[in-house]
Amino acid sequence: MKNIVNTVIKVLIILILVVWVFFVFTDYMRAKDGKKPKICLKETSEKWNDGDYYECTSFGYRYYELKKKDNTKDYGFITIFSKNPIKEKYGE
């Protein structure tokens, strides 16, 4: 009985990891195309001098984009613990 419980727990952990990797990969590919992620746990939108800033925090990663007033777009996909290069560059 103990072996069955351990096996079920291992399978559930592996399944959760596979689903998480799928979401990270999907959102990363969407970020490369300049699209917003599918899953956002926390969204932030701000008005900056240079344009509109958007940030989406999800399970261990963040997507950010800055739509500038000259209609250019700066965006990226980083881990949740990384410093945001746009905030460092523009100092907002």
Side-chain angles (χ1 to χ4, degrees):
M1 183 69 165
K2 188 175 181 181
N3 288 337
I4 294 173
V5 171
N6 285 341
T7 305
V8 169
I9 290 173
K10 288 177 186 176
V11 168
L12 285 175
I13 289 172
I14 290 171
L15 184 64
I16 289 170
L17 284 174
V18 167
V19 169
W20 179 75
V21 167
F22 172 76
F23 281 122
V24 170
F25 180 74
T26 302
D27 285 346
Y28 174 74
M29 296 308 286
R30 290 178 59 83
K32 281 181 66 174
D33 293 336
K35 298 178 184 174
K36 293 181 181 178
K38 293 255 184 209
I39 296 177
C40 281
L41 300 177
K42 180 183 171 189
E43 290 182 304
T44 305
S45 295
E46 300 173 8
K47 292 272 189 195
W48 286 6
N49 290 336
D50 289 342
D52 297 326
Y53 176 77
Y54 171 80
E55 183 174 294
C56 169
T57 304
S58 192
F59 297 107
Y61 54 92
R62 289 185 290 173
Y63 170 79
Y64 59 87
E65 75 179 30
L66 176 63
K67 291 183 183 176
K68 298 179 186 176
K69 292 180 181 178
D70 61 356
N71 291 330
T72 59
K73 192 182 206 184
D74 194 4
Y75 56 89
F77 189 84
I78 57 175
T79 63
I80 200 164
F81 304 111
S82 300
K83 292 184 179 181
N84 190 325
I86 288 182
K87 286 188 176 182
E88 288 183 2
K89 182 178 179 181
Y90 293 101
E92 298 284 336

